[in-house]
Amino acid sequence: MDSFHEPYTRAGDDISLDAVRDQVRALEDSHKAHGVQLSGRIVHVCHYLPVVPTLISHLSPTAAGVLSPPPSPPTLYGDVPESPTADAAEAQQSQQPSVPSRRWNFAPRYGHAAMISGIRSLSATHDQLIVGWTGDILSLPSAGAASAEETGGSTGSAEERIPSHLVSQADREAMEAELFVPVWLEDKVAQGHYEGYCKTTLWPLFHYLLWQDVATEYASVDAHWVHYEQANQVFAERIASVLKPGDLIWVHDYHLLLVPKLLRSQVGEKGTDVIIGLFVHTPFPSSEVFRCLPRRKEILEGMLGANLVCFQTYSYSRHFTSTCVRVCGYETTTRSLPSSIPAITSSALTHPVSGHPDHSQSSNFSDNKYIGIDVQGHIVSVSHCPVGIDADRVARDTLRPGIQPKSESLRALYAGKKIIVGRDKLDVVKGVLQKLRAFEKLLRDYPEWQGQVVMIQVTSPSLTDSPKLERQISELVAHINGEYGSLDFIPVHHYHQTLKKDEFYALLSVADLAVITPLRDGMNTTSMEFVIAQERTERSPLVLSEFMGISQHLGQALHVNPWDLGDVAAAMNAGLLMSSTSKAARHAALHKVVTTHTSHTWAALLVKMLLSQINGQTTARGTPYLPKEHIKDKYDGASKRLFLFDYDGTLTPIVKTPAMAVPSLDALNALTKLTSDPRNIVYIVSGRDQAFLEAHLGHIKHLGMSAEHGGFIRDPSNGNGKGKSTAAADDGDETWVNFTAQLDMGWMDEVAEIFRYYTERTTGSHIEVKKSSITWHYRASDPEWGLFQCRQCQDLLENNLAHKRPIEVLVGKKNLEVRPLAINKGEIVKRILYLNPDAEFIFCAGDDKTDEDMFRALHIFSPDTTGKARLAPPLSVTLVDNNHGLTQPDVELAIASDAIFTTAVGPSTKRTLASWHVTTPEEVVGHMLHLVGETSQGAGGVVVAGEEAKSYM
């Protein structure tokens, strides 16, 4: 879908703040009614705390004989604000004043005003907890405590930076007793994390700058990775220390992309119950740019630890999903989540065997859809939600008494002239050079504006100085003024400074045109502040870069490509000549958007979106870990045991080349020991063909095998196996039973013809023909094109062939398989259980969608079952064994419900019908060795990372 035509907000989000809060309350009431634990608290995790802490009473580092560390970062004014809405301490003073205490003084931190405003607004409906780094610790002698308020938290001459390790434990505890949860980072880690990896690697990449554009040729892209990882780990540990059951967690921005995954690991088994959202405030680049990052997979895996990953715009979320598909090999899915109170929630549905919630059903779903990333069964939702500004506060600020005199002075100074205003950070991505060149082109291509229009360009200092860029801007300004100016007229006025609030709003209010044309930007707030400032003046138009996240939001602005100087010049000319009627109409539309999608609405929508994940299929309550001692007790007490193993991904890791999926020495040892006990019946139930299973496992005596997803079976030869028939065909020393012998397989030619059609049109795809099924593989194709073709082919098969033939269409890992309805792993499991009704212990392990058929087949106890369970003869028995027209009877099973161990291989958040989970194939083998009293030999087959063999399971 063309991202430029995608709506900026999702359906249902274009509503008032009160309506969003009503929806949040309804979702919370629904969750609580169905037993979901909610604490009513939201934990916001930000890189910085929203305050600048100053230690009032402390022995100065110099006096202590310790040199102060270098400025890190060199901010004489705190963080330079994105916009002057964060510029006045009094704007936040009612909510977070400078609070002198016995040890600390806190002053508002500049920057990220929209985010902090939104977070604070949630205090009206929820308890709040803000976790963040303290930033550089400033020290102020006790006698000068009063000056902290005078300086507004800025670094004055009386303040000194002190190393974090010199802050005493008592001082730390005193800060933690305040309103925030500080994260203490070692100075080296903090500097490497923020100034290093964040600012020299991630920030340039996310703004489409590669490192050679912003760093020296000797700089290493990976130099500060270890500090980034360490800082994220410290954050995860700090969050875990204050976490309560039922908390909602929002992690903010690119500084903390590893936190979601690290937090789940830190919490342990309870991590599956933690609801985590990640909001990325910066742009997210296309996959072709992001894949240049050396640590690309680690970053993506960290982000995918969240339940919901949210971006500013749809295009950024589309880039993220595409990157996950191309870099990690994951697949996407579309999920519909409830936007109102559901009739039945997933938490109310109970697993028929284990008693755990069953997420295979849902109801009353609306059109509130999220794109999902399937991460080994854990679905991560991906969406977008734009950040706004605190419109009410900005509107009040525009009425400050100091603004009117400054506005009148500006009008008098430029009387008779049109005023074009621009305000940007002195940063390469802000496009100031391109804007000035476009203004020069305006004067050259539209000479009637010479002497009639002035541009006032303000560049506020950025976090890191750029002398080269500043020199280029100054030279270009001098060139334009020399070419088109005179002794009594200067066309370009450039000010490299941070404007005070009154000056800023006075400048916005008198502007005849605002030009904001960054080369790449996320959510530039100056454009929205301009709209509000113009409400009481001329309602002048706005020229915006189409490469800003805000551009889709403000559809009535004049959108331009900042690289096309002629396009920008033409837009300037059109804006200056625009009629009053057109100005008013455009302004009304812009003003409605800015005052509707505010920072308060954004914050409330984040809560709503995160609460929605709890009910959806994107969230599953964790499957418990399989305890070794518990399964050992049941194993020892059973007189007959049944083992059912998948092969790829269960006994052996997934490998890139299918032929390299060789069983490890531990796996072979475990299988040998299990099959040597006459009380054990062991089967390998795999999608592999007979030849592969015979080659790698055929030497193990008394091992049963099922090939091609249940199409063929070879029973054990130890006297416990049954069911040999005339349909069998000798294949070596053992007998393979062909379940397709009595089935109509004529459909395979029709399916093969369809697959050939798509193979010709999908480079890298191929067809695999087995005796009982046919599969189309597209792993080597372009991921997104292959997935698109797969869905087209699936639609064709299901709508034109499947309803005419006894077949089913299965979507696997990068493949599409067609097989007979009567053939699947579940039918084989039923057959084995039917022929061995006296089994008192069952262990079944698998890792993918086809193994869910096995787990489903073992759901033989319904909640109202009392006594022994009975099993009717399965189709796999009646097809082959009923040779004389005799009806097979039902059998009574000896198994008890607590002796069935269906086990999924993967994370505990994986959506599965299994009752238990282990994380890796090695753990499956380890559990089996524990049952037979053996230990791991620490050796295995060669393993190559990848998922190629997944399609053969």
Side-chain angles (χ1 to χ4, degrees):
M1 183 180 295
D2 185 353
S3 62
F4 292 101
H5 292 86
E6 185 71 11
Y8 187 69
T9 55
R10 295 174 301 108
D13 288 348
D14 192 11
I15 54 179
S16 68
L17 176 60
D18 290 339
V20 177
R21 287 176 172 173
D22 288 342
Q23 292 181 349
V24 169
R25 281 191 291 269
L27 281 169
E28 290 177 329
D29 292 343
S30 173
H31 292 325
K32 292 176 182 178
H34 291 91
V36 178
Q37 186 176 11
L38 293 175
S39 67
R41 188 175 73 166
I42 302 171
V43 179
H44 290 276
V45 188
C46 311
H47 175 233
Y48 275 121
L49 289 176
V51 293
V52 178
T54 302
L55 190 56
I56 296 175
S57 179
H58 183 83
L59 183 63
S60 74
T62 305
V66 179
L67 295 178
S68 297
S72 172
T75 48
L76 295 179
Y77 307 97
D79 273 348
V80 176
E82 280 289 337
S83 68
T85 55
D87 193 31
E90 68 267 22
Q92 296 185 6
Q93 201 161 3
S94 61
Q95 298 165 321
Q96 181 58 45
S98 298
V99 184
S101 65
R102 188 168 60 89
R103 296 177 183 270
W104 293 94
N105 179 77
F106 299 104
R109 184 184 299 276
Y110 299 149
H112 305 289
M115 180 184 75
I116 297 303
S117 170
I119 290 175
R120 292 187 189 282
S121 71
L122 293 175
S123 298
T125 55
H126 294 80
D127 293 335
Q128 296 268 75
L129 199 61
I130 300 180
V131 181
W133 178 44
T134 59
D136 288 329
I137 302 298
L138 308 178
S139 176
L140 184 69
S142 298
S147 66
E149 292 184 31
E150 297 171 7
T151 60
S154 65
T155 306
S157 59
E159 297 174 337
E160 294 180 306
R161 290 184 175 84
I162 62 174
S164 61
H165 68 273
L166 291 183
V167 180
S168 69
Q169 185 62 32
D171 288 334
R172 295 190 180 200
E173 291 174 356
M175 181 187 288
E176 292 172 9
E178 300 293 339
L179 303 177
F180 306 103
V181 179
V183 175
W184 300 93
L185 295 175
E186 296 180 7
D187 293 330
K188 183 178 180 181
V189 172
Q191 184 172 355
H193 167 252
Y194 185 58
E195 293 184 56
Y197 202 76
C198 289
K199 288 302 179 185
T200 65
T201 299
L202 289 182
W203 189 90
L205 181 79
F206 284 6
H207 290 80
Y208 288 78
L209 295 174
L210 294 185
W211 306 280
Q212 66 267 23
D213 298 324
V214 294
T216 68
E217 58 181 313
Y218 303 105
S220 171
V221 174
D222 236 9
H224 299 287
W225 167 254
V226 63
H227 297 134
Y228 185 82
E229 200 171 26
Q230 289 172 353
N232 276 255
Q233 181 63 46
V234 174
F235 267 88
E237 293 170 358
R238 192 69 179 96
I239 300 165
S241 69
V242 298
L243 205 57
K244 295 194 305 186
D247 282 348
L248 299 179
I249 303 169
W250 265 111
V251 181
H252 292 272
D253 223 0
Y254 67 100
H255 314 86
L256 305 171
L257 297 180
L258 303 182
V259 165
K261 182 179 180 180
L262 292 175
L263 177 58
R264 292 199 189 278
S265 300
Q266 186 68 30
V267 177
E269 286 301 313
K270 294 182 180 179
T272 58
D273 296 325
V274 179
I275 305 300
I276 304 174
L278 171 65
F279 192 92
V280 182
H281 292 259
T282 62
F284 195 89
S286 71
S287 59
E288 290 302 306
V289 173
F290 188 88
R291 68 195 305 178
C292 298
L293 184 66
R295 298 288 181 171
R296 58 191 186 180
K297 192 162 188 179
E298 290 91 335
I299 293 290
L300 292 174
E301 294 287 358
M303 298 174 71
L304 292 172
N307 298 88
L308 172 67
V309 181
C310 200
F311 298 88
Q312 297 273 15
T313 70
Y314 168 76
S315 61
Y316 300 161
S317 65
R318 183 172 62 89
H319 291 163
F320 175 71
T321 55
S322 176
T323 302
C324 291
V325 170
R326 293 181 176 278
V327 173
C328 298
Y330 296 135
E331 294 189 347
T332 61
T333 182
T334 301
R335 297 297 186 190
S336 295
L337 300 179
S339 59
S340 59
I341 302 176
I344 301 176
T345 63
S346 57
S347 59
L349 301 174
T350 303
H351 192 294
V353 174
S354 66
H356 300 298
D358 184 0
H359 303 272
S360 60
Q361 305 177 53
S362 60
S363 62
N364 198 31
F365 280 77
S366 72
D367 290 332
N368 191 10
K369 293 183 178 180
Y370 294 83
I371 297 296
I373 307 294
D374 189 341
V375 184
Q376 298 177 346
H378 169 61
I379 307 299
V380 181
S381 294
V382 181
S383 189
H384 65 282
C385 182
V387 180
I389 60 174
D390 189 344
D392 290 339
R393 200 187 91 189
V394 173
R396 291 195 301 271
D397 287 342
T398 60
L399 300 177
R400 292 159 60 98
I403 294 177
Q404 186 63 27
K406 290 181 173 60
S407 298
E408 293 174 355
S409 297
L410 287 170
R411 289 191 181 97
L413 182 61
Y414 302 108
K417 304 292 190 296
K418 293 285 189 178
I419 302 174
I420 299 178
V421 168
R423 177 194 170 274
D424 307 274
K425 276 189 177 181
L426 186 63
D427 207 315
V428 64
V429 300
K430 298 302 181 180
V432 177
L433 280 174
Q434 287 77 7
K435 184 194 303 185
L436 291 172
R437 292 189 181 114
F439 180 70
E440 180 184 13
K441 189 168 181 61
L442 171 73
L443 298 180
R444 182 171 62 249
D445 293 356
Y446 304 91
E448 62 271 20
W449 289 116
Q450 295 179 17
Q452 302 300 314
V453 62
V454 297
M455 169 172 276
I456 302 176
Q457 175 63 47
V458 180
T459 54
S460 58
S462 64
L463 187 63
T464 55
D465 292 332
S466 179
K468 179 181 178 181
L469 179 60
E470 187 173 357
R471 184 179 69 253
Q472 289 175 327
I473 292 175
S474 297
E475 291 174 353
L476 183 55
V477 169
H479 166 73
I480 296 173
N481 288 338
E483 185 74 18
Y484 298 98
S486 61
L487 291 176
D488 59 349
F489 176 72
I490 300 176
V492 179
H493 298 260
H494 175 232
Y495 302 96
H496 181 50
Q497 64 186 72
T498 300
L499 294 180
K500 295 180 180 179
K501 185 177 288 259
D502 289 354
E503 296 172 334
F504 176 73
Y505 284 118
L507 188 61
L508 293 185
S509 63
V510 302
D512 295 290
L513 182 69
V515 180
I516 305 172
T517 53
L519 308 180
R520 186 70 58 174
D521 207 354
M523 197 54 53
N524 186 299
T525 58
T526 302
S527 54
M528 292 184 279
E529 292 162 334
F530 173 77
V531 171
I532 294 179
Q534 286 285 322
E535 175 68 9
R536 298 177 181 274
T537 56
E538 299 298 322
R539 302 187 176 183
S540 300
L542 177 65
V543 175
L544 285 184
S545 166
E546 65 186 39
F547 299 123
M548 300 168 59
I550 195 68
S551 63
Q552 298 177 48
H553 198 16
L554 303 178
Q556 290 301 311
L558 301 174
H559 294 173
V560 296
N561 177 359
W563 297 99
D564 186 348
L565 303 184
D567 184 28
V568 180
M572 291 181 181
N573 179 64
L576 294 172
L577 295 175
M578 189 175 293
S579 67
S580 299
T581 303
S582 182
K583 286 181 183 180
R586 287 176 176 268
H587 175 83
L590 293 175
H591 190 266
K592 179 180 180 182
V593 171
V594 171
T595 55
T596 300
H597 295 288
T598 66
S599 58
H600 296 187
T601 309
W602 164 77
L605 284 170
L606 291 187
V607 178
K608 171 193 166 186
M609 293 164 66
L610 200 52
L611 285 169
S612 297
Q613 305 308 308
I614 298 176
N615 265 343
Q617 297 180 26
T618 54
T619 303
R621 294 188 63 84
T623 308
Y625 189 81
L626 181 64
K628 284 187 176 180
E629 295 307 322
H630 178 54
I631 190 176
K632 175 69 171 172
D633 292 341
K634 294 294 182 180
Y635 175 84
D636 292 339
S639 60
K640 186 173 184 179
R641 305 112 170 192
L642 187 58
F643 290 88
L644 307 164
F645 298 104
D646 174 42
Y647 184 76
D648 292 288
T650 302
L651 292 180
T652 62
I654 299 299
V655 295
K656 190 171 184 179
T657 305
M660 298 181 68
V662 179
S664 66
L665 294 179
D666 282 341
L668 294 174
N669 184 34
L671 291 174
T672 302
K673 293 292 184 180
L674 286 173
T675 55
S676 65
D677 189 332
R679 292 177 295 174
N680 295 339
I681 298 176
V682 185
Y683 276 88
I684 304 297
V685 185
S686 174
R688 296 279 190 170
D689 59 24
Q690 300 151 273
F692 181 92
L693 295 179
E694 289 279 7
H696 294 286
L697 301 173
H699 64 283
I700 301 178
K701 195 174 182 181
H702 309 314
L703 178 64
M705 301 180 190
S706 174
E708 299 190 21
H709 297 296
F712 299 85
I713 191 170
R714 192 197 77 173
D715 290 319
S717 59
N718 59 6
N720 291 322
K722 301 178 183 179
K724 296 180 181 179
S725 72
T726 57
D730 286 339
D731 191 2
D733 296 331
E734 303 295 343
T735 301
W736 283 93
V737 179
N738 181 3
F739 290 111
T740 66
Q742 298 184 26
L743 297 178
D744 177 13
M745 303 297 290
W747 52 266
M748 291 189 72
D749 291 337
E750 299 177 64
V751 174
E753 183 178 354
I754 294 174
F755 280 172
R756 282 193 293 271
Y757 174 86
Y758 282 94
T759 301
E760 293 171 359
R761 287 155 179 79
T762 311
T763 303
S765 64
H766 70 278
I767 303 170
E768 179 191 14
V769 180
K770 300 179 182 179
K771 295 179 181 178
S772 62
S773 65
I774 182 170
T775 307
W776 181 66
H777 298 273
Y778 61 92
R779 181 170 300 279
S781 306
D782 178 90
E784 293 178 288
W785 174 245
L787 180 60
F788 173 79
Q789 290 289 77
C790 175
R791 289 172 175 168
Q792 293 291 312
C793 184
Q794 178 190 4
D795 182 70
L796 178 63
L797 290 169
E798 290 178 342
N799 292 320
N800 293 278
L801 190 61
H803 66 282
K804 301 176 183 177
R805 297 284 197 165
I807 60 174
E808 60 179 337
V809 182
L810 299 177
V811 179
K813 295 283 186 178
K814 307 292 184 182
N815 71 87
L816 191 64
E817 182 178 16
V818 181
R819 68 186 185 189
L821 278 171
I823 303 299
N824 59 68
K825 290 185 178 182
E827 284 297 318
I828 287 299
V829 168
K830 290 179 182 178
R831 170 190 170 84
I832 296 171
L833 185 57
Y834 182 83
L835 298 179
N836 297 278
D838 51 340
E840 298 176 350
F841 172 93
I842 299 176
F843 179 83
C844 178
D847 74 306
D848 82 334
K849 297 176 183 177
T850 62
D851 300 317
E852 295 297 314
D853 291 332
M854 294 198 293
F855 303 149
R856 188 178 292 105
L858 291 174
H859 290 173
I860 53 181
F861 289 92
S862 59
D864 57 350
T865 298
T866 57
K868 299 293 183 178
R870 298 187 66 82
L871 181 64
L875 185 60
S876 55
V877 171
T878 58
L879 275 177
V880 177
D881 296 341
N882 189 12
N883 297 321
H884 305 289
L886 300 177
T887 302
Q888 299 286 351
D890 293 357
V891 296
E892 184 177 89
L893 304 179
I895 192 75
S897 61
D898 60 352
I900 300 176
F901 294 89
T902 51
T903 306
V905 181
S908 57
T909 53
K910 185 175 186 176
R911 291 175 54 241
T912 179
L913 294 173
S915 304
W916 307 93
H917 95 279
V918 294
T919 306
T920 65
E922 289 78 12
E923 292 178 16
V924 175
V925 174
H927 277 66
M928 297 306 102
L929 289 173
H930 180 72
L931 293 182
V932 296
E934 294 285 329
T935 58
S936 172
Q937 300 177 29
V942 178
V943 176
V944 181
E947 299 237 350
E948 178 67 25
K950 200 66 174 173
S951 56
Y952 291 87
M953 299 189 306

